[in-house]
Structures are given as C-alpha cells and as structure tokens.
Amino acid sequence: MIRFIINGLLRDHHRSLFPIIIVAIGVWITVFMQAYLSGVLGDMTDSTARFSTGHVQIMSRAYADNKDQVPNDLALMGVERIMTEMEAEYPEMTWVKRINFGGLIDIPDEHGETRSQAPVAGFGIDLLSPNSTELHTMNVSKSVVRGHLPENPGEILISEMLAEKLEVNLGDQATLVTSTMFGSMTMHNFTVVGTIRFGIQAMDRGAIIADVTDVQQALDMQDAAGGILGFLPNRVYDNEEALAIVEKFNAGHTDENDEFSPVMGNLVELSNLGGYLTYAGQFSTYLVVIFVIIMSIVLWNAGLLGGLRRYGEVGVRLAIGEPKGHIYRSLIYESVFIGIVGSIFGTALGLGCAYWLQVVGLDISAFMKNSSMMIPSVFRAEITDQTYYIGFYPGLFATVLGTMLSGIGIYKRQTAQLFKELEV
Amino acid sequence: MNNSALITITDLVKRFPMGKREFTALSNINLTFNGGEFAGIIGPSGSGKTTLLNIIGSLDVPTEGKAVVLDNSVGNLNTRQSADLRNQYLGFIFQTYNLLAVYTVFENVELPLLLLKMAASERRKLVNQSLEWVGLTDKVNSRPAQLSGGECQRVSIARAMVKEPKIVLADEPTANLDAKNSHHILQTMEKLNADLGTTFIFATHDEKVIQYLKRKISLEDGQVVADEVKG
C-alpha cells in the first residue's frame, strides 16, 4: 500500500508538487524569520552587554538607582578590592571596570583658541593593559577607521563621524571639558590617535574612547568607577547563572542602609530587556502557530480541491471494500510524506537565506541617523540549533491538520450513492 | 449453475426521505440468486435497479425486510463488516470504468489485492491471470488515458475479477461503449461466468446486455413484475 501511495504522489503532481510548494514556502519563511529574530535578538543582547551592562554589573546602589543619568558623583568606590575579590571568586569570568561620562570636547586651532566643539559621550575602558579584554569586548580593534589604538596614556579614539564634523586630524589635541566626581569643573587634554566606527548610531555620532586610568585621573575618580562589568565564560549570556551570581553577591555586599554599598544587577534587569526577550520568545512561538494556522487553512482548501479531484478514486476504493478509516489514514500518510519533503526543502531554502543574512547582514544605518538606541546598524541572522528543526512544526503539523480536516469528508460519504456518483 | 443460494432477499422494502415525506424505491422484493447465475435487473430509469444493486452490494441497507448475501444479513452489518464483505466476496463494474488515472493497468487491477494484504508474488500472479482473462496482458504498463473505452472496461472487469469474487455487480457496464465493444465485453463476462462460476448481476436497460442474460428480473416502480429464466 505504501508503494501504491508513493506512486500516486510521484505521478500526480496536483497532490504532491502543489502542496509541497506551499509547505516549503511556509517553512522557508518560518525558518528564515526564526534565524532573523535570533540574530537580531542576539545582536541586541550582545551589543547591550558589550557596550553597556556586561552580563552582570556592580554599581553603587545610588548609581544604580540613577544610572540613566550616568551619575559619576555616585560612583562605586573601592573598585580594585571588589575586582580582586570577584576575580578570585569567579576566575572563569572576565571582570572589567568602566566609566561612562559626558562632556564637551574642544578642538583648538594653532593659537589655542576653540576651532570646533561638540558634546560627547565618553567611555573609559582598559585600553593599555597588556592583557586587556576590552579591545575585543568593545570590538575596538576592528572598529578603527583611521590611525591606531592608543598606546600611551593621554591618547584617545574618537568616532569617525565626530572627527569629520569637528574636522579633527590624527595627532590633534582635544580638550575634554567635564566635571569631576566631586562636582568641580575639569579640563583634560588628550591626543587623538585614531577614529572609530562601531556600527551603532548612538555611539558613532559622538563617542570618545579613552583609557580608564586616564579617565579616572581626569574625573578625579581614583579607585572609583561607574561600574564593574562581569562577562560569563565564552561570552554567552545565561540568565539563570547570572541571577545566581547576582543573588550571592548582593546577599554578601549590599547594605540597604548604605546607598554607596555595591549592588549587582544582571543584563536582563539592567537593560530592561526582560520583557523584550520574553516578548521575542513568545513571538517565535506565535510565528510558528500563525504559520500552522495559515498553512492548515491553505492545505485544508488544497485538500478539499484534491478531494474533489480524487472523488472518483475514493469512491472506487470505498466500493471495492476499503474501509473509510483506511482511506483516511492513507491520506494522512501522504500528508506526512508531503510535510517531510516540503519541510526539508523549506528548511534548506530558509537556511540558505539565513546564512546569507548571517554573513552579509542587513544594513539599516540609513534609517538610524538620529537614533539614540544602543542597537547595531547591521542586522544579521543567526543560525541556531532551533533553525534546523523549527520549520518541521508548521511543515508537518499544518499538512497533517489540513489533511485531517479535508479528509473528514470521507466519513460523510454515503456508500449508497456510490453507483450514482461514479457514473458522473 | 450452483443451486446453493448466494443471495436471499425477503420482503425487502427501501424508502428514501423526500422532504417531509418518504419515497418508496423498492417494495416487497423477494428474490434468490444462486451461485453461477448470469442475471440482470432490468427496467426503466427510476425503477429501483441501482437501489437493489446497492443493497446486494452492501452499499445500502433495507428499510424493511431482509437481504442476506453470502450468509451476511446486509441490514445488520456495520460499515467495517460491509466493507469486508465487499472486499472479500464482491466485485464491482461501473458504467464509467472508474479506473485511477495515475496508475497503470497492472496497478489498477492490483488495488483490491492490496487491501487483502496479499504477498507481492501472489498479487502479480493473480493480476496477470486476470488480465489474461480479459486479453490485456500487453497493456500492463499502460495508463487508462492510453486505452480505448472498451479496453478500459476490460480493465475494470479484470479489477472486479482479480480476487475471484463470488459475485460481480455491474451497473450499466456497456452504457459508454459502442456495439462491437459491448458485445466483446459481454462475451468476456459470459465466459468468466461459465469458466469460473462467478455470479454476475447486472443493472441495465440496454438491449445488448439483456440478450446475453440467462435470467431477467424486471422491475417497475420498485416492484418485481417479471422474473424469467432463459431456456
């Protein structure tokens, strides 16, 4: 009987090719969308972790409460001691101190007078230590457009866009005008040795990157930092693992009565990504469910049309004594075959497109010129384990469901009418 | 002819609902068919031929009375048992052949045997034998679209005969054939009836068929008005 079914499918393109094309298209879109969502989510989570929060971050309670304002006057103190402690307790993790700051950058002319000026967002990161991981974390090396990385104290990188705007050349002096941790005004001279482009509009419009020790000096933040960022092993975020670390740290360090006591938060909590990640996870499920429903309806209709075409065949099979259940099951076997073949083709197509988007990416920088969101301007798909099998849910389920619905007609067929029906 | 009764119909009545009323298609039918008969139910359109054939073929059930086919009371069978009865003991020949277009002649004839879960070698033997009976051994790999109407009906006969059923039911088997092909088909069935002892029951009003029948049961308005045995 299996050979009978397969022969019928192979020879009758109306009951194989057409449904397989529908299934393949649906699966293709599902697979591609899953990979695209994974990529976008992964990029956003990764960008947020690398540039903003780490996987976990230690701040003072007061700083954490006002972190959107980057309040360096509420910075975390005793940074070296805490870092030593964390490195000892979690040696497999990477711990770095960072200072984010705002200010004005002033570019003087040959007479020392202001030639151009602009507000900047500054990042103080470890650029000069021989074993610094920050160059990799912030992707600094690959982001250099002109010049080179800072090699000596007092050297900075500024964003290429800002450099063009301020007409800054490599080797030019730049004066940072800002306030110290204690609220007094300060000016600190740096030398621009390179320009960078991160591919994140919010940073590319006006970022400067300096060594964290220089920033500590400039802002009078000895042994202080905006925060200590911790990255889990292999740089893969695991919410449960991060939460366990957070709970343990806060239980031992946070004092509810001391607003300058350290407090740790995790990526999801600090970036407010929790709801977003939940939504995105649900969206993937909705996507599959929606495709199952749509494809089921389409395949149901295709099954009804096929049922009309095969009215005579089913009639003959009933007349010669094939039980209705047997015919119904044979149609389901056909649909399983179609579902598997369509899912394989659809998954292959989806993977192909996802791979292309993973490698090439989708550049949306043109739409983000004024964006202040910390998201990458090139979206890439990400092929995960789920990408390989997710298409089989709508592919198989919808095909079988569509066939089950359309096949119900077999049970409604009156054998008493067969002679009349088969004479048509 | 084998004198044991294969089919016994007693006081059979069949009514169909028509709106709020009922239409009596068959009334007070009493018939017996023995093994090896070559019989026809004849009559004009609407006389109840096909309805009677349906009940004999366990495709329908009587409203009143009894139809016992091969010791199975048709009215008491569930759908599965009816299907089993048709599958194992009955063959059907339709006016429009109803061959499956995507399958070859061999596969069309083989279909009833697939349901009997027969071994492939046994199926092959029976299909070839059946095609030999109808003279189509050279067409095993042809599709129905490549055959003439007469050939299609011969395939249909081969399909009905392949499992060597006790009874073959044929509803207007020559309605779509010209005279030459009709005679050829009828001669084939006549020969199978003689050689294998299979009971053939026709529903027809075609004179070409009627002249071959050994027993003619005339129906009018759902009642048997004549039951003549030739010779």
Side-chain angles (χ1 to χ4, degrees):
Chain A
M1 202 70 195
I2 299 289
R3 188 174 55 84
F4 178 80
I5 290 170
I6 290 174
N7 280 344
L9 281 171
L10 293 177
R11 292 172 195 166
D12 186 356
H13 292 176
H14 290 282
R15 66 166 129 149
S16 53
L17 189 63
F18 177 57
I20 283 173
I21 288 172
I22 293 174
V23 173
I25 290 172
V27 170
W28 174 12
I29 295 169
T30 307
V31 168
F32 179 71
M33 288 297 287
Q34 187 277 337
Y36 177 72
L37 273 176
S38 290
V40 170
L41 277 178
D43 279 353
M44 291 177 80
T45 309
D46 189 51
S47 291
T48 305
R50 283 189 298 121
F51 294 112
S52 182
T53 63
H55 293 154
V56 293
Q57 185 178 8
I58 305 166
M59 296 168 278
S60 72
R61 281 186 54 233
Y63 188 102
D65 288 344
N66 301 281
K67 63 181 166 45
D68 291 342
Q69 299 169 29
V70 197
N72 282 329
D73 54 327
L74 304 173
L76 181 69
M77 303 295 290
V79 169
E80 298 305 328
R81 179 184 54 77
I82 296 173
M83 279 191 64
T84 306
E85 185 186 330
M86 298 317 293
E87 281 165 355
E89 191 163 358
Y90 302 101
E92 72 284 7
M93 287 179 67
T94 306
W95 297 94
V96 296
K97 58 188 172 193
R98 291 220 187 135
I99 300 172
N100 294 352
F101 57 95
L104 274 177
I105 194 158
D106 184 284
I107 310 296
D109 60 16
E110 62 274 18
H111 307 295
E113 300 295 329
T114 298
R115 187 180 77 203
S116 53
Q117 210 175 51
V120 292
F123 296 87
I125 63 174
D126 183 5
L127 288 173
L128 301 178
S129 298
N131 56 351
S132 170
T133 57
E134 289 286 72
L135 295 174
H136 169 72
T137 305
M138 299 280 280
N139 205 22
V140 179
S141 307
K142 290 181 183 170
S143 303
V144 173
V145 180
R146 289 185 285 149
H148 58 83
L149 294 172
E151 292 164 353
N152 301 297
E155 294 180 345
I156 60 166
L157 299 167
I158 72 171
S159 74
E160 173 69 12
M161 211 183 286
L162 183 65
E164 286 173 2
K165 184 179 163 191
L166 299 178
E167 297 176 350
V168 175
N169 294 313
L170 299 182
D172 282 357
Q173 194 182 63
T175 304
L176 174 68
V177 183
T178 183
S179 61
T180 68
M181 179 180 174
F182 303 103
S184 54
M185 187 174 173
T186 180
M187 282 175 277
H188 201 89
N189 289 334
F190 291 99
T191 304
V192 178
V193 296
T195 64
I196 46 173
R197 185 183 293 125
F198 286 108
I200 295 174
Q201 285 289 324
M203 291 176 69
D204 284 341
R205 272 189 286 115
I208 65 170
I209 295 183
D211 182 63
V212 68
T213 310
D214 284 343
V215 178
Q216 280 178 318
Q217 251 184 342
L219 274 58
D220 207 4
M221 291 177 70
Q222 279 70 29
D223 200 23
I228 297 170
L229 277 59
F231 293 89
L232 293 168
N234 302 320
R235 305 271 164 162
V236 178
Y237 182 67
D238 180 335
N239 198 44
E240 285 183 19
E241 194 178 350
L243 275 174
I245 295 167
V246 166
E247 279 177 21
K248 188 176 178 193
F249 180 88
N250 289 343
H253 295 80
T254 307
D255 181 354
E256 291 296 321
N257 300 316
D258 180 2
E259 64 174 351
F260 290 100
S261 64
V263 65
M264 187 187 276
N266 67 336
L267 167 67
V268 172
E269 174 196 345
L270 294 171
S271 61
N272 298 319
L273 277 174
Y276 178 72
L277 290 174
T278 307
Y279 171 76
Q282 287 172 343
F283 187 76
S284 291
T285 309
Y286 294 150
L287 187 75
V288 171
V289 171
I290 286 167
F291 271 99
V292 166
I293 293 169
I294 292 172
M295 285 168 59
S296 296
I297 292 169
V298 173
L299 291 165
W300 176 11
N301 275 287
L304 290 174
L305 288 172
L308 286 176
R309 285 185 61 254
R310 298 173 70 185
Y311 205 68
E313 177 195 329
V314 172
V316 170
R317 288 167 68 176
L318 285 172
I320 66 174
E322 187 169 354
K324 289 177 176 179
H326 192 271
I327 298 174
Y328 189 69
R329 283 194 298 279
S330 74
L331 294 181
I332 291 173
Y333 297 150
E334 286 184 16
S335 71
V336 169
F337 176 81
I338 287 165
I340 290 173
V341 174
S343 297
I344 289 171
F345 278 116
T347 300
L349 281 169
L351 281 170
C353 293
Y355 180 73
W356 174 81
L357 198 61
Q358 185 172 277
V359 173
V360 177
L362 184 65
D363 189 348
I364 57 164
S365 56
F367 304 104
M368 297 182 63
K369 279 182 180 152
N370 298 312
S371 172
S372 59
M373 290 173 72
M374 195 71 102
I375 56 174
S377 53
V378 178
F379 280 157
R380 292 177 194 280
E382 183 189 3
I383 295 172
T384 62
D385 291 346
Q386 199 185 25
T387 318
Y388 290 94
Y389 63 79
I390 193 167
F392 283 79
Y393 292 123
L396 259 178
F397 189 66
T399 317
V400 172
L401 185 64
T403 304
M404 287 172 83
L405 289 170
S406 61
I408 290 169
I410 291 168
Y411 287 98
K412 292 180 179 167
R413 195 108 178 237
Q414 298 289 323
T415 51
Q417 300 299 316
L418 285 177
F419 269 122
K420 282 181 185 166
E421 289 171 357
L422 294 174
E423 281 170 13
V424 177
Chain B
M1 190 193 304
N2 181 348
N3 281 330
S4 59
L6 293 184
I7 302 163
T8 309
I9 296 169
T10 314
D11 299 329
L12 185 142
V13 175
K14 180 67 187 178
R15 295 191 198 95
F16 293 109
M18 282 188 75
K20 288 180 181 173
R21 293 189 299 172
E22 282 190 326
F23 166 72
T24 303
L26 293 172
S27 172
N28 196 32
I29 306 288
N30 288 284
L31 290 169
T32 300
F33 292 92
N34 294 322
E37 284 206 43
F38 201 74
I41 304 162
I42 59 179
S45 293
S47 59
K49 304 187 295 289
T50 304
T51 304
L52 186 53
L53 210 62
N54 273 337
I55 292 171
I56 294 170
S58 79
L59 294 167
D60 204 353
V61 292
T63 310
E64 287 174 23
K66 241 181 162 184
V68 178
V69 178
L70 299 164
D71 298 327
N72 296 283
S73 178
V74 171
N76 295 335
L77 300 177
N78 61 31
T79 52
R80 179 80 201 206
Q81 290 166 328
S82 296
D84 283 345
L85 177 64
R86 293 197 299 275
N87 184 17
Q88 291 182 35
Y89 302 113
L90 305 180
F92 290 87
I93 298 169
F94 304 96
Q95 179 182 322
T96 51
Y97 332 130
N98 285 291
L99 301 178
L100 309 184
V102 296
Y103 295 101
T104 62
V105 165
F106 185 95
E107 289 163 339
N108 267 283
V109 177
E110 188 188 24
L111 178 59
L113 304 180
L114 291 173
L115 303 176
L116 293 172
K117 296 189 167 62
M118 210 173 266
S121 57
E122 182 72 4
R123 291 202 305 267
R124 198 175 308 113
K125 191 179 117 194
L126 290 176
V127 172
N128 286 330
Q129 174 187 267
S130 190
L131 287 171
E132 205 169 305
W133 290 336
V134 296
L136 282 176
T137 46
D138 57 333
K139 301 282 185 183
V140 282
N141 293 318
S142 302
R143 301 271 184 91
Q146 297 167 306
L147 304 177
S148 68
E151 286 172 329
C152 282
Q153 196 58 300
R154 281 152 66 195
V155 176
S156 175
I157 293 168
R159 182 176 64 190
M161 290 300 299
V162 69
K163 59 191 174 190
E164 295 189 38
K166 299 270 187 202
I167 303 161
V168 170
L169 303 172
D171 190 23
E172 306 282 11
T174 55
N176 286 349
L177 300 176
D178 58 25
K180 188 181 163 196
N181 271 311
S182 294
H183 285 297
H184 191 181
I185 291 296
L186 286 160
Q187 283 159 7
T188 303
M189 289 195 275
E190 198 176 39
K191 186 172 186 311
L192 288 168
N193 167 252
D195 292 350
L196 304 173
T198 308
T199 298
F200 280 79
I201 302 174
F202 297 85
T204 185
H205 59 288
D206 183 347
E207 281 302 324
K208 295 191 292 293
V209 179
I210 293 170
Q211 66 184 6
Y212 280 86
L213 298 176
K214 291 173 189 160
R215 181 183 175 192
K216 291 180 270 187
I217 300 156
S218 301
L219 282 186
E220 263 183 39
D221 297 328
Q223 291 190 313
V224 176
V225 293
D227 186 351
E228 307 160 52
V229 178
K230 196 190 262 186

